[in-house]
Amino acid sequence: MSAPERPVVTRIAPSPTGSMHIGTARTALFNWLYARHTGGTYLLRIEDTDRERSTEANVQVILNGLRWLGLEPDAPPIFQAARADRHRQAVDDLLASGNAYKCWMTVEEVAAAREIARAEGRAIRSPWRDRDPAEAPDAPHVVRFKGPLDDETVVEDLVKGVVRFRNIDLDDLVLLRSDGAPTYNLAVVVDDHDMGITHVIRGDDHLNNTARQSLIYQALGWDLPVFAHLPMIHGEDGGKLSKRHGAQAVGEFEEMGYLPEALRNYLARLGWGHGDDELFSDDQAIAWFDVKDVVKAPARLDWNKLGHVNNHYLRQADDDRLATLVLEAMVRRGAEARADARARLTTVIPLVKEGAKTIKDLDDLCRFALANRPLVLDEKSASVLTEETQGRLGRLAAWLSEESDWSPEPLTARLRGFAQNEGVGLGKFGGALRAVLSGGAPAPDLASALTALGRTESLGRVEDALSRTK
Ligand code: GLU
């Protein structure tokens, strides 16, 4: 059966060479969505053939990143480097069928040939393509693919459409290095074939490799998978995503306080979409997603939109979960969390989360509730405390302490009642109350701030302010 007729098997094939790029996360997501949409299987292959950069720690970065994103594969990962013998066996098959040849060009000869080829605007060819191996020197050799010189290779890409490559332009790529190490293009083909991959969905920086890989499939007598090359993710200015656009690593998005479900929703819209829908659940995305609907043009990472999406998921998220995330963020930011921090956070989070775009924002918005008494007032807050406002706050404290239902509505009514009683507007004491409750840190409206702090802490903070001398 050819690939399109078999049950769908997709894969994500990251190289564990450092952080996990947000583009890799998006590729993982699309492979996962397509597998889920079709009732297929989604696999992970760790492409760890670069032995120096492929550390255990870097493998963990990928596994953790996928776990955090909720995009874990359906089976344990395949490690590419462990399959080198199988790759070498495929090279033997290619040598036996005349689709590969041993090449004894030295490094210097390759460099010289490359220069000439470049000057003549053609791909380099090794003289060993047609030479008798019996003439070979007693020296190390590589194995090269013996590509066709005429015709063209046509890639029918689900996203890019028909892409043609003139075979004459494709040089005979190295399949095995002189130390016997298989190269990327060979290993990918053998692994994708052996893993039964039906759909290769990856970044369009790999489109040029696809022509070479297609030729290797054909030479090995294997069916080609379906290819789909995803557009790159660009920054807001349209340039390729780089450090100057801010975060790129999945771990950084986690640290900045984006929720994985928000990132899944947002990343799904980078290169794909369902009408104008901005917010949708995993189930909706799975029902709607088809890789043939991916667009060709590069997608742009729009931080405002991401913030908007994250805010939506923060508002929906369980407050206990958010409390854990805020505590983690606090520790990461070097703040010391008081013993009752969790209890306080679960009270304050529902009152402030509407204004937060990230966990970091949420942390900022909760800080006022976690400060220890007596509060340190910032300069502006301290300046609001005059004899007049202190007197009024004293009366207000007595008035508030009468309230038996310490929650936003009755407290709002009580603040209004106090203003009426004093014959002044709320503005005459609102600023002072806010100052002594928050010390100048961001805080929600007064009734919410009072509710968040609770009766004892609220009245305690007012009391502290009354005993302040200027
Ligand atoms: N290992 C390649 C990368 O990290 C991906 C190869 C592929 O998806 O075929 O870019």
Side-chain angles (χ1 to χ4, degrees):
M1 268 195 292
S2 70
E5 292 155 16
R6 282 187 279 130
V8 166
V9 184
T10 65
R11 71 359 176 229
I12 170 83
S15 308
T17 48
S19 59
M20 179 176 175
H21 194 267
I22 195 70
T24 306
R26 197 267 314 251
T27 304
L29 175 69
F30 282 22
N31 277 283
W32 178 82
L33 283 174
Y34 191 58
R36 290 289 173 277
H37 175 75
T38 53
T41 310
Y42 155 74
L43 300 177
L44 166 65
R45 181 172 68 239
I46 304 277
E47 303 215 312
D48 53 350
T49 48
D50 181 339
R51 299 313 294 157
E52 258 158 49
R53 293 165 72 200
S54 301
T55 60
E56 180 52 38
N58 285 339
V59 171
Q60 276 310 322
V61 167
I62 291 171
L63 298 180
N64 291 342
L66 290 174
R67 185 177 318 123
W68 179 75
L69 283 162
L71 300 176
E72 284 186 285
D74 298 334
I78 302 286
F79 288 85
Q80 188 159 63
R83 294 175 38 81
D85 283 345
R86 167 66 178 132
H87 303 145
R88 280 188 280 270
Q89 185 199 329
V91 174
D92 285 344
D93 292 348
L94 288 168
L95 281 167
S97 63
N99 285 299
Y101 62 93
K102 295 179 181 171
C103 167
W104 281 267
M105 281 175 98
T106 61
V107 176
E108 296 75 29
E109 283 170 341
V110 171
R114 182 164 292 135
E115 201 124 302
I116 297 170
R118 193 173 295 143
E120 293 176 4
R122 57 171 178 80
I124 95 163
R125 295 284 160 215
S126 161
W128 292 99
R129 189 181 160 100
D130 305 308
R131 240 168 116 175
D132 185 351
E135 297 169 21
D138 182 18
H141 65 271
V142 301
V143 177
R144 287 182 185 275
F145 184 67
K146 193 170 190 175
L149 297 179
D150 47 11
D151 291 339
E152 49 182 21
T153 297
V154 180
V155 174
E156 289 181 39
D157 191 89
L158 270 192
V159 177
K160 305 282 168 184
V162 174
V163 190
R164 295 170 185 280
F165 297 84
R166 292 196 321 159
N167 289 332
I168 191 86
D169 295 333
L170 304 174
D171 58 16
D172 290 346
L173 88 131
V174 173
L175 301 172
L176 273 193
R177 299 202 178 86
S178 57
D179 62 0
T183 57
Y184 160 72
N185 276 300
L186 170 80
V188 166
V189 169
V190 176
D191 291 347
D192 281 340
H193 170 264
D194 289 0
M195 289 165 73
I197 303 301
T198 58
H199 291 71
V200 171
I201 304 169
R202 60 184 171 195
D204 66 9
D205 48 337
H206 285 288
L207 185 60
N208 279 332
N209 287 326
T210 305
R212 300 174 173 291
Q213 291 173 14
S214 298
L215 288 170
I216 299 176
Y217 274 101
Q218 284 159 7
L220 285 164
W222 294 341
D223 284 337
L224 266 74
V226 177
F227 290 102
H229 285 89
L230 309 175
M232 291 283 106
I233 302 178
H234 283 183
E236 268 165 352
D237 57 3
K240 204 167 176 257
L241 199 62
S242 69
K243 283 219 171 68
R244 77 196 146 88
H245 296 108
Q248 296 184 77
V250 171
E252 290 175 276
F253 283 81
E254 180 183 2
E255 281 197 10
M256 281 188 292
Y258 294 97
L259 297 177
E261 62 269 38
L263 217 49
R264 285 199 298 276
N265 184 154
Y266 181 69
L267 289 178
R269 299 210 55 221
L270 292 184
W272 174 81
H274 183 260
D276 289 332
D277 291 317
E278 290 232 14
L279 300 167
F280 42 76
S281 65
D282 287 335
D283 285 346
Q284 285 173 311
I286 288 168
W288 296 334
F289 186 84
D290 195 325
V291 71
K292 69 176 171 30
D293 297 330
V294 172
V295 300
K296 280 188 213 161
R300 285 190 193 198
L301 185 75
D302 180 330
W303 290 96
N304 260 336
K305 277 194 186 157
L306 174 58
H308 171 72
V309 173
N310 204 47
N311 171 263
H312 168 81
Y313 286 96
L314 283 173
R315 282 188 282 128
Q316 290 199 341
D318 175 66
D319 295 325
D320 214 40
R321 172 184 173 209
L322 294 179
T324 304
L325 294 173
V326 169
L327 281 170
E328 282 171 12
M330 285 182 68
V331 172
R332 239 191 335 257
R333 295 170 82 185
E336 225 172 279
R338 49 194 278 171
D340 62 351
R342 171 173 287 277
R344 276 170 186 272
L345 284 171
T346 26
T347 320
V348 67
I349 283 172
L351 296 162
V352 299
K353 65 182 184 179
E354 203 155 313
K357 284 188 169 158
T358 61
I359 294 290
K360 230 176 184 167
D361 288 354
L362 197 55
D363 178 14
D364 289 339
L365 293 172
C366 291
R367 284 287 169 100
F368 82 97
L370 300 181
N372 288 316
R373 284 180 56 199
L375 244 54
V376 180
L377 305 196
D378 68 10
E379 209 177 315
K380 190 161 166 253
S381 304
S383 73
V384 187
L385 285 184
T386 60
E387 237 169 78
E388 187 195 341
T389 53
Q390 276 179 318
R392 195 162 270 137
L393 283 180
R395 296 193 293 281
L396 174 61
W399 181 272
L400 285 174
S401 65
E402 299 286 307
E403 183 53 60
S404 57
D405 181 0
W406 200 266
S407 58
E409 259 179 54
L411 285 169
T412 304
R414 217 153 244 279
L415 289 169
R416 287 216 188 97
F418 177 74
Q420 239 166 26
N421 204 42
E422 292 270 309
V424 295
L426 207 83
K428 277 285 179 203
F429 60 92
L433 180 58
R434 167 174 288 280
V436 304
L437 291 179
S438 73
D445 66 273
L446 290 173
S448 297
L450 287 165
T451 308
L453 291 169
R455 174 198 299 273
T456 316
E457 180 78 17
S458 299
L459 296 177
R461 288 188 185 190
V462 175
E463 207 173 286
D464 293 343
L466 297 184
S467 50
R468 261 177 82 97
T469 44
K470 289 221 121 197

